[in-house]
Amino acid sequence: AQSVTQLDSQVPVFEEAPVELRCNYSSSVSVYLFWYVQYPNQGLQLLLKYLSGSTLVESINGFEAEFNKSQTSFHLRKPSVHISDTAEYFCAVSEQGGSYIPTFGRGTSLIVHP
Amino acid sequence: DTGVSQDPRHKITKRGQNVTFRCDPISEHNRLYWYRQTLGQGPEFLTYFQNEAQLEKSRLLSDRFSAERPKGSFSTLEIQRTEQGDSAMYLCASSPEVGTEAFFGQGTRLTVV
């Protein structure tokens, strides 16, 4: 069965600094990978996804993630964060060829300080 | 399209009471998921439907929990004889097909007192 590990429960960073949120997964088959963001008092929103093709995927608001099969990782990065990026970020994986049910990590709280 | 809708947004109930939550997925989405999220944790899978068929249930889903999706449209999640440990955010999500992302509703926050 698949599993997701988000090593950092909280990442504090100053505005305009770069940030990396780490995600590692475990699976015996090929996977689809997702990053979701949850702003305070809101539902989960898809940030970006890897289904196939280029291993580097980007979001419309400057985030990017790279699928690394050998490292079983899908780390999320942004070169310069804004106060408005403060939120909870969840990595998710679903296994191909099975039930495709997304399994989520415990989340990383990104706190951007002015 | 208005997205995934959940009702109610908040529910406070006394221990031992039954509660029912409703989820309206995005129209024409075949797959519907229920998750539970507690403070400081990610969403935990409870069950999912492919159209009207309930295809998988998590071991988290005790006998007190039941879910339905009549006619493959909206879904309900019922919790019987609620316990304090049932207090959580209950999330519903839908997706159009396998291998695509799930779209989440805003959740129903249950507090059992």
Side-chain angles (χ1 to χ4, degrees):
Chain A
Q2 74 263 33
S3 66
V4 178
T5 302
Q6 291 184 249
L7 292 167
D8 307 302
S9 60
Q10 203 171 79
V11 173
V13 64
F14 286 107
E15 194 172 20
E16 298 183 7
V19 71
E20 179 178 81
L21 306 183
R22 295 180 292 172
C23 172
N24 287 87
Y25 69 92
S26 174
S27 174
S28 57
V29 301
S30 297
V31 296
Y32 297 129
L33 294 158
F34 309 90
W35 275 100
Y36 284 82
V37 59
Q38 187 174 35
Y39 299 104
N41 299 315
Q42 293 189 29
L44 279 79
Q45 303 171 36
L46 181 72
L47 190 59
L48 46 76
K49 61 186 178 184
Y50 169 78
L51 302 181
S52 65
S54 173
T55 57
L56 184 65
V57 291
E58 298 177 350
S59 74
I60 58 173
N61 57 352
F63 283 93
E64 64 177 30
E66 185 159 20
F67 169 49
N68 187 320
K69 189 174 182 179
S70 62
Q71 306 269 336
T72 60
S73 68
F74 192 55
H75 301 329
L76 182 70
R77 295 186 291 263
K78 189 170 186 180
S80 175
V81 294
H82 300 151
I83 294 285
S84 59
D85 292 325
T86 295
E88 195 79 19
Y89 291 80
F90 296 95
C91 182
V93 62
S94 68
E95 290 186 327
Q96 297 182 38
S99 60
Y100 294 90
I101 299 169
T103 296
F104 287 81
R106 62 179 294 171
T108 297
S109 179
L110 175 64
I111 303 170
V112 182
H113 297 288
Chain B
D1 197 337
T2 56
V4 178
S5 176
Q6 292 188 246
D7 183 69
R9 292 289 308 279
H10 303 274
K11 179 71 176 179
I12 300 174
T13 191
K14 292 183 178 179
R15 190 176 53 182
Q17 297 293 306
N18 299 343
V19 294
T20 299
F21 309 140
R22 177 181 170 121
C23 171
D24 286 273
I26 294 171
S27 60
E28 299 182 356
H29 277 197
N30 297 324
R31 291 167 70 94
L32 185 148
Y33 306 90
W34 285 99
Y35 285 84
R36 181 172 68 188
Q37 185 179 22
T38 54
L39 198 62
Q41 300 296 320
E44 297 173 298
F45 169 74
L46 293 178
T47 188
Y48 94 96
F49 293 83
Q50 177 79 28
N51 298 312
E52 68 274 10
Q54 187 175 18
L55 295 185
E56 193 162 328
K57 294 192 287 187
S58 162
R59 282 172 290 178
L60 292 175
L61 211 67
S62 77
D63 292 344
R64 297 183 297 106
F65 288 69
S66 63
E68 295 182 342
R69 192 184 182 195
K71 302 178 183 178
S73 55
F74 71 93
S75 176
T76 58
L77 178 68
E78 181 184 16
I79 310 174
Q80 296 182 325
R81 306 181 303 281
T82 53
E83 302 172 355
Q84 286 191 321
D86 297 331
S87 295
M89 177 75 85
Y90 289 84
L91 301 171
C92 178
S94 68
S95 67
E97 58 188 52
V98 299
T100 58
E101 68 268 27
F103 295 80
F104 280 82
Q106 294 203 305
T108 294
R109 182 170 296 283
L110 173 66
T111 303
V112 182
V113 298

